Amino acid sequence: MASTAPAPEPQPAQPPVPSPAPQADSHLTTSVLADNPSGMTLEGTNTYLIGDPEAETVVVVDPGPVEGAEQHLEAVLEAAGGRRIELILVTHHHGDHTGAVDLFATQTGAPVRGGSPDWSRGGAPLVPGERIPAAGVVITAWHTPGHTSDSYSFALPDDGAAGSVLTGDTVLGRGTTVIDHPDGTLADYLHSLEILIALGDATVLPAHGPVLPSMAQVGAIYRNHRRQRLDQARQALADLEEWQRNAASIDELARLLSHTVYPDIDERVRPAAVKSLSAQLAYLENEV
């Protein structure tokens, strides 16, 4: 597993100062921020607690990284307010989401479910579109690959007037996420955006960054951004000499073109940008 998730694209130089205290993000959710800020994870990983306020249990989504896991578990249990953790869900396999899975599972006795059998502990892997009744709510598990092949988003249709959706790294609270090529593909990602856009004005609860309004609006912005990046990749390819295009692999082309498509990116996150550009080039290759 990776130690951190691939990065979002370039971020503002001075991001907002995060609060370590639990945040009531919606009627049915509370988040606890893991202490793993970086250019790759924004302010850190948001671990969510889902549950009806009157329920005696909660569901935890994304236990967070292995670093500082014991302290983070303590903070999550405190946020639960004595309610039992009955289920742990993971949005995808990257280590800043799953590093603490075994500690959380052992200490709480809760089963873990993810899109891959590798991240299921005492529970079956998730099934696309399944409805999970737990903690007094119903959670719909949508398979939304693209960032990774095993990415899931969790919709709460009864969370407010328009519902809410936990998007993992498929949609972030700030910036845009990487396509972790070759595990993630742009074709999958664009299809996943359509699934999320269909949720309408659901509140966006991302694994990194702040809460956003209207999944439909945010999804449309993400979709347009990907189309613009594809146009940039097409132009950058057209400007290459033919011998360069024919002699290089997709990954080599991505490294070469990243300085054209992402000229001002922080060099610390350029490897992540190269992954996204590789996904774009693979998409264009299949498009022809």
Side-chain angles (χ1 to χ4, degrees):
M1 67 181 177
S3 60
T4 58
E9 293 188 2
Q11 304 300 318
Q14 295 182 331
V17 177
S19 170
Q23 303 295 306
D25 297 303
S26 68
H27 178 62
L28 298 179
T29 69
T30 298
S31 65
V32 180
L33 183 65
D35 186 18
N36 62 326
S38 73
M40 307 291 277
T41 58
L42 303 182
E43 293 83 15
T45 301
N46 295 319
T47 294
Y48 286 95
L49 290 78
I50 300 173
D52 186 283
E54 302 301 319
E56 296 181 353
T57 62
V58 293
V59 175
V60 167
V61 178
D62 286 345
V66 67
E67 298 84 359
E70 292 184 359
Q71 293 85 352
H72 188 53
L73 174 59
E74 290 179 5
V76 170
L77 291 173
E78 183 176 350
R83 293 179 291 173
R84 178 175 61 86
I85 296 174
E86 71 164 283
L87 175 65
I88 298 168
L89 300 173
V90 294
T91 58
H92 65 292
H93 68 269
H94 285 142
D96 60 319
H97 300 256
T98 59
V101 156
D102 289 324
L103 176 66
F104 272 59
T106 299
Q107 294 298 316
T108 67
V112 182
R113 300 188 65 194
S116 165
D118 293 340
W119 295 108
S120 296
R121 309 281 190 274
L126 296 166
V127 176
E130 75 169 297
R131 289 162 57 85
I132 304 169
V137 303
V138 176
I139 305 165
T140 304
W142 292 113
H143 186 209
T144 49
H147 172 66
T148 63
S149 61
D150 65 342
S151 287
Y152 267 77
S153 298
F154 301 111
L156 301 170
D158 299 323
D159 193 10
S164 65
V165 57
L166 284 71
T167 54
D169 284 4
T170 300
V171 173
L172 303 180
R174 190 174 71 256
T176 55
T177 197
V178 73
I179 310 300
D180 192 9
H181 184 79
D183 179 49
T185 72
L186 183 55
D188 279 346
Y189 189 76
L190 292 172
H191 179 67
S192 293
L193 285 180
E194 297 301 330
I195 291 173
L196 293 174
I197 288 169
L199 297 178
D201 286 331
T203 300
V204 181
L205 304 171
H208 303 284
V211 172
L212 298 174
S214 183
M215 184 64 253
Q217 293 180 25
V218 175
I221 291 170
Y222 265 57
R223 181 175 58 195
N224 291 340
H225 171 81
R226 291 297 168 184
R227 289 172 176 170
Q228 291 168 2
R229 288 299 190 197
L230 280 172
D231 287 342
Q232 289 177 299
R234 288 189 187 97
Q235 186 58 54
L237 274 175
D239 291 342
L240 278 183
E241 297 288 344
E242 184 176 357
W243 68 268
Q244 290 176 301
R245 292 197 300 272
N246 294 336
S249 68
I250 283 179
D251 289 343
E252 290 169 338
L253 278 175
R255 283 190 288 273
L256 178 64
L257 296 179
S258 73
H259 295 276
T260 299
V261 179
Y262 301 96
D264 301 319
I265 197 170
D266 186 326
E267 289 302 315
R268 292 173 297 177
V269 298
R270 185 169 297 280
V274 169
K275 282 181 175 288
S276 279
L277 189 50
S278 292
Q280 294 164 23
L281 295 175
Y283 182 89
L284 293 175
E285 184 177 71
N286 292 329
E287 188 179 55
V288 176

